Amino acid sequence: QVQLVESGGGLVQPGGSLRLSCTASGFILDYLNIAWFRQAPGKEREGVSCISSRDSSTYYADSVKGRFTISRDNAKNTVYLQMNSLKSEDTAVYYCATDYEFHCPIREVGSWPQDYWGQGTQVTVSS
C-alpha cells in the first residue's frame, strides 16, 4: 500500500518542542521533494517547510523560520520536522505530502502535491 504516515504530534506547553516524522511505505522518498503543511481550526491549509531531493536544500515559511528544522533520512525512508520554541499559533494538524511533480519551495496552491498526503498528526500548544 502506497502511503505517507505522520507521527509525533501531541500536546506541548508554549516554548516546548516536538519532532514530527513522515514515513513512506510502498514507495521511496529518496528522489522526491517533501513538504510539511498545517491547518489550524477555521483556517486554510498553509505550507510550513520543504526539503529537496537533489541536495536536501530546505525552505521555511517566515512564521516558523529559526524555530523549525526539516530533515530527511533516506535510509529510513523518513522526513522529520523538528519544532522548537512552539507557540500557541503553531497549533494545527500537520501533514506531509509529495508527488513526482512537486518542487520546493512551496508556492501557490496549484503547485502543491496532488498524489501523496498523510492523514495528519495533531499538534496542540497550550499551557
Side-chain angles (χ1 to χ4, degrees), residues 3-10 20-23 35-39 45 92-97 116-124:
Q3 61 179 355
L4 291 171
V5 178
E6 303 97 337
S7 61
L20 306 184
S21 299
C22 170
T23 301
W36 284 96
F37 296 81
R38 68 185 181 186
Q39 187 164 19
R45 191 170 296 186
V93 178
Y94 284 72
Y95 303 87
C96 61
Y116 306 117
W117 284 79
Q119 82 289 350
T121 186
Q122 176 70 48
V123 172
T124 303

Side-chain angles (χ1 to χ4, degrees), residues 40-68:
K43 295 189 177 182
E44 294 184 349
R45 191 170 296 186
E46 62 176 352
V48 174
S49 183
C50 186
I51 186 165
S52 71
S53 62
R54 190 168 68 91
D55 57 5
S56 292
S57 295
T58 58
Y59 304 84
Y60 300 95
D62 287 343
S63 58
V64 306
K65 203 170 292 183
R67 300 188 298 120
F68 289 12

Side-chain angles (χ1 to χ4, degrees), residues 8-44:
L11 173 63
V12 63
Q13 292 186 344
S17 298
L18 284 173
R19 188 177 78 157
L20 306 184
S21 299
C22 170
T23 301
S25 60
F27 66 109
I28 297 173
L29 293 181
D30 294 33
Y31 304 110
L32 297 173
N33 304 304
I34 315 298
W36 284 96
F37 296 81
R38 68 185 181 186
Q39 187 164 19
K43 295 189 177 182
E44 294 184 349

